[in-house]
Amino acid sequence: MGFQQGLSGLNASSKNLDVIGNNVANAGTFGAKTARAEFADMYAAAMNGSGATNIGIGVRLAAVAQQFTQGNITTTENPLDLAINGAGFFQVADVVRDPNAAPNTPPTMDGPPLYTRNGQFKVDRNGYIVNNQGQVLLGYVANATGVITPQQARPIQLPTAGINPNPTTAIELEFNLDSRAAITLPSGGGINFNDPTTFNNATSVTLFDAMGQDVAVTYYFQKTAANTWDVYATANGVPLMGTSASPAPVATINYPPASGGNPTAAGGGSITYYMGGGGTSTDGRIPIDVPATVRPDGSSTLPINGIELNMGNSTQYGTTFGVTNLTQNGYAPGQLVGVTIDSSGIIMARFSNGQSRPAGQVELATFRNPQGLQPLGGNVWAATYASGDPTVSAPGSGNMGVLQAGALEESNVDLTAELVNMITAQRAYQANAQTIRTQDQVLQTLVSLR
């Protein structure tokens, strides 16, 4: 007669309560995964006289297995909060910084990467994305022009400098000219930019010089004959062709005459663009130069040479004048105002001039056996022989989950189920204690025999 079975049952029930209590305690921990106590029975190796195995001698804790099911995703107000919807782990690492190193020297990783589902990230004083333990987020780093090349995962650092200006080199101008419009060419020829009776329509665009200074360019459309239009342009009031006293058109557009009652348009025949500097263009691409000008505030702008003005999608229909596309590729300098992270993990830096540029990309890792990961506390796990080597890739590729910025993954602990499990474990503890009590009473009876 022994107490082994009841004692092992008490130990097992106690450990089960420990696991349940840990689950309940981490019900509000973002990225935490519920654990399950798994038990195995025990038998002695001795054989009795009949050859049958002995009665079992109790139970033991076989494993505490974490369950890596998806937790609910809740939105937050922090754009650096990240939630993984699907498989994968964030990669973070402890780092060591040399106090004597230059300010922009990357930190050195202290040990192998660690893995977490907790996406509560922030930016430290050096611009690195870190978690609450100060571990840096790993991924791909973009170069100075925003090009991301997949490579060995490194600490991701957000840019601190602004973005340099970019002078305008190309303009897209798409419009329709009203074929019903009257001819506005003055009897003496030319155009008066201050007299709207000498032109039919006008539109404007802002260009940028090499210093990022804005230059206001206005286009004037003057119908000189049937199906023929002159296009003039000024930069801060200065003509791009000719002189202020005698401006010249930067281009002349000659639409093919209508036939069969069809409206004259780009699709009705070949349009000829006569360039102001000489020569013709059949695709509507006109080279223009913008001279140095004086802005309304008195400052001077630099000349902008070699701009390609593309008017190849112009039309002449019997409807009102309208500009359907007017874009240019220049921009002023800008300072970093924020970051956004898309579902594929690309971190976009947003600047005050409206431009965006990739600053890096988050890399995720998956394991063939996630339950083989070793929990280290602080919401991180370490890879082990049982988990296998990590498979790394960008979010959304292969079997990787996608990211949701401004959101966090809640713990997957089901409080209702844990409370029910707690009641069951309590009853099991009481029942095992009762077996020990019964064994004690039987033993007491045996000792009392005379």
Side-chain angles (χ1 to χ4, degrees), residues 294-385:
V294 177
R295 290 157 39 99
D297 60 5
S299 60
S300 298
T301 63
L302 301 176
I304 314 173
N305 298 321
I307 301 176
E308 181 184 81
L309 172 61
N310 184 3
M311 296 185 294
N313 291 322
S314 69
T315 60
Q316 182 188 239
Y317 289 116
T319 186
T320 57
F321 169 81
V323 177
T324 53
N325 182 37
L326 181 52
T327 58
Q328 56 85 40
N329 63 349
Y331 48 81
Q335 298 300 317
L336 182 68
V337 295
V339 296
T340 57
I341 303 176
D342 66 13
S343 61
S344 63
I346 295 179
I347 303 170
M348 295 295 294
R350 295 183 292 106
F351 298 91
S352 57
N353 59 359
Q355 298 297 309
S356 297
R357 176 177 294 175
Q361 185 175 20
V362 179
E363 182 187 65
L364 299 183
T366 58
F367 294 88
R368 178 167 293 181
N369 176 28
Q371 291 187 342
L373 294 171
Q374 178 185 358
L376 300 180
N379 300 319
V380 298
W381 290 270
T384 65
Y385 180 81

Side-chain angles (χ1 to χ4, degrees), residues 155-425:
I156 299 176
Q157 184 181 29
L158 297 181
T160 55
I163 187 171
N164 295 330
N166 183 57
T168 300
T169 59
I171 303 170
E172 294 284 338
L173 179 55
E174 182 180 286
F175 54 88
N176 175 70
L177 297 173
D178 191 348
S179 62
R180 303 165 302 178
I183 297 174
T184 56
L185 180 67
S187 59
I191 188 174
N192 183 352
F193 300 124
N194 297 317
D195 183 1
T197 64
T198 63
F199 56 89
N200 299 81
N201 308 103
T203 188
S204 298
V205 65
T206 299
L207 310 185
F208 297 90
D209 64 13
M211 296 295 293
Q213 301 175 108
D214 57 285
V215 181
V217 173
T218 303
Y219 299 97
Y220 300 87
F221 302 91
Q222 180 191 67
K223 189 173 184 179
T224 60
N227 305 320
T228 303
W229 297 76
D230 281 347
V231 182
Y232 292 84
T234 62
N236 290 331
V238 178
L240 268 58
M241 296 288 292
T243 64
S244 297
S246 180
V250 296
T252 297
I253 308 176
N254 187 7
Y255 291 96
S259 61
N262 294 324
T264 302
S270 177
I271 303 174
T272 303
Y273 298 86
Y274 296 92
M275 296 181 287
T280 60
S281 170
T282 57
D283 59 3
R285 300 178 187 273
I286 307 295
I288 62 173
D289 295 327
V290 176
T293 65
V294 177
R295 290 157 39 99
D297 60 5
S299 60
S300 298
T301 63
L302 301 176
I304 314 173
N305 298 321
I307 301 176
E308 181 184 81
L309 172 61
N310 184 3
M311 296 185 294
N313 291 322
S314 69
T315 60
Q316 182 188 239
Y317 289 116
T319 186
T320 57
F321 169 81
V323 177
T324 53
N325 182 37
L326 181 52
T327 58
Q328 56 85 40
N329 63 349
Y331 48 81
Q335 298 300 317
L336 182 68
V337 295
V339 296
T340 57
I341 303 176
D342 66 13
S343 61
S344 63
I346 295 179
I347 303 170
M348 295 295 294
R350 295 183 292 106
F351 298 91
S352 57
N353 59 359
Q355 298 297 309
S356 297
R357 176 177 294 175
Q361 185 175 20
V362 179
E363 182 187 65
L364 299 183
T366 58
F367 294 88
R368 178 167 293 181
N369 176 28
Q371 291 187 342
L373 294 171
Q374 178 185 358
L376 300 180
N379 300 319
V380 298
W381 290 270
T384 65
Y385 180 81
S387 68
D389 294 330
T391 300
V392 297
S393 185
S397 62
N399 62 344
M400 297 291 182
V402 296
L403 296 189
Q404 183 173 340
L408 291 170
E409 181 188 7
E410 297 178 353
S411 168
N412 64 350
V413 174
D414 185 343
L415 273 179
T416 302
E418 294 300 329
L419 292 176
V420 172
N421 292 338
M422 188 183 301
I423 295 173
T424 304

